[in-house]
Amino acid sequence: MKGFWEKVLSAAVFATAFSTYGCNAGGAKTKMSNYDESGYEIGSKVYSESIASVEIGWHFGDLKIVETDGEISVTESGSLPEKNRVRSKIEDGKLIVKFWQSGLDDKLDRASDKDLVVKIPAGIDEIRIVTASANVCAESFSFKMLDIATTSGSAELGKVSAESAKIGSVSGSLRAEEVFARDKLEVGSTSGKIKIGKAESPDISIDSISGAVEVSSVSGCGDLEISTTSGEINAGAVRADKAKFESISGKISAELKECDSCELSTTSGEMDLTLGIGAKVSFSSNTGSFHGEGGSTRVYGDGSCQVLAGSVTGSLSVNYTGK
């Protein structure tokens, strides 16, 4: 496994301005790391300057991103004391948003008082969002570079279009209706579920440990790699030059529509393969079976796709539909 999410999380958290987060009966609590407050506006703000990038560090509450034709604004839900209000500024073409006052260690009775709506123009160069438990939502993203990292917060996205996109969480769920990345798409989770409707990119990497991975369809892909430790993998309607599915104990279910070569690998997890194309399937296992038999090679249709499947104790089943 690539360990994608561990690398993304450590780098993203280090680069942001928050340090700790906790919840207790008194409400939501967090401590803000120190940062230079010079130039920051306090509270909700509408900007008239142009921007090329956005960087948001948020702790709790809901964070909603709204694309506009040019409007730029930061709007917070609660009527809070000055120390607890959002900070924001535009510096060198970048909109920077901070949770609250530098160094403040405080708590709120209601996390919803820190709900935030950020309106930004579509098509800017880069947006980077890092949260602790805040939930990120957006109906659409149309940026060159997208980077979202959360600890326990979820990400609920509609249609995403970018040159490259990185979306990761430790325990929060990650959901997207459609993701189109012209260069590369990377999605990672430790225990949160990953669910993507349609994924389209020449290079797709999805990595999870115990969280399940579900992708309804994959298209326009050169290299597709989905890996888990114990989470199940369910990949439908895969159209890729190369596809690789890997898990230790999680079950793998994959449907191939267009593919030159495919690898499936588990230690103990079962493997279910649906073929909408001709394929030559080679299976090896210590104790697992291929439709109730030992390791063997079978040809379906014209055998054009080369499939290698291997497991220590897991079995392989193949359903050939030819369409």
Side-chain angles (χ1 to χ4, degrees), residues 11-312:
V13 171
F14 179 79
T16 57
F18 65 77
S19 54
T20 60
Y21 168 82
C23 288
N24 54 37
K29 178 178 175 66
T30 194
K31 180 179 180 180
M32 191 76 184
S33 296
N34 293 316
Y35 64 92
D36 183 359
E37 286 196 312
S38 60
Y40 279 93
E41 302 286 346
I42 300 174
S44 299
K45 173 70 176 176
V46 177
Y47 290 94
S48 58
E49 302 99 312
S50 61
I51 60 172
S53 61
V54 175
E55 182 180 292
I56 302 172
W58 209 247
H59 292 250
F60 54 77
D62 290 337
L63 170 58
K64 184 175 183 179
I65 306 298
V66 178
E67 285 189 319
T68 70
D69 292 333
E71 178 185 351
I72 303 170
S73 66
V74 176
T75 306
E76 194 170 44
S77 58
S79 298
L80 300 170
E82 182 175 305
K83 65 179 182 178
N84 298 118
R85 295 179 196 166
V86 61
R87 267 64 172 166
S88 65
K89 70 176 179 179
I90 293 179
E91 183 177 72
D92 298 328
K94 177 188 287 188
L95 173 64
I96 305 171
V97 181
K98 304 287 190 183
F99 190 71
W100 60 29
Q101 179 180 301
S102 171
L104 179 63
D105 186 357
D106 205 358
K107 66 180 181 181
L108 298 177
D109 291 335
R110 298 183 306 175
S112 60
D113 283 338
K114 292 296 288 184
D115 288 351
L116 187 72
V117 177
V118 179
K119 294 183 178 181
I120 49 179
I124 62 173
D125 291 342
E126 179 180 9
I127 179 167
R128 190 179 192 204
I129 299 170
V130 180
T131 80
S133 65
N135 301 314
V136 181
C137 65
E139 293 183 2
S140 63
F141 273 122
S142 300
F143 309 118
K144 291 182 180 179
M145 304 285 289
L146 171 65
D147 192 340
I148 298 176
T150 79
T151 302
S152 59
S154 64
E156 299 280 346
L157 309 177
K159 296 181 179 181
V160 176
S161 177
E163 289 186 5
S164 67
K166 291 182 179 181
I167 307 169
S169 178
V170 175
S171 59
S173 62
L174 304 174
R175 297 176 184 269
E177 181 181 335
E178 294 181 16
V179 182
F180 170 68
R182 282 175 288 277
D183 294 331
K184 189 170 186 177
L185 168 62
E186 295 178 273
V187 184
S189 173
T190 300
S191 59
K193 181 177 181 179
I194 297 171
K195 185 174 182 179
I196 300 174
K198 179 181 179 181
E200 183 176 353
S201 178
D203 189 349
I204 299 175
S205 175
I206 302 175
D207 187 2
S208 177
I209 295 180
S210 60
V213 176
E214 180 181 341
V215 183
S216 297
S217 71
V218 176
S219 60
C221 187
D223 293 311
L224 168 67
E225 183 171 342
I226 302 178
S227 62
T228 73
T229 299
S230 58
E232 290 191 4
I233 296 173
N234 193 329
V238 172
R239 292 174 170 85
D241 295 339
K242 299 179 186 177
K244 184 177 182 179
F245 307 98
E246 180 182 14
S247 183
I248 294 177
S249 59
K251 180 179 179 180
I252 297 175
S253 299
E255 177 189 16
L256 301 182
K257 290 290 190 180
E258 295 175 11
C259 195
D260 294 332
S261 64
C262 177
E263 294 182 36
L264 299 94
S265 174
T266 72
T267 299
S268 59
E270 301 296 307
M271 295 176 286
D272 289 338
L273 181 62
T274 299
L275 294 173
I277 54 173
K280 180 180 179 181
V281 180
S282 299
F283 176 67
S284 62
S285 175
N286 289 350
T287 59
S289 65
F290 189 175
H291 286 298
E293 301 178 3
S296 59
T297 298
R298 300 187 185 187
V299 177
Y300 299 86
D302 63 7
S304 58
C305 177
Q306 301 299 305
V307 178
L308 299 177
S311 180
V312 177

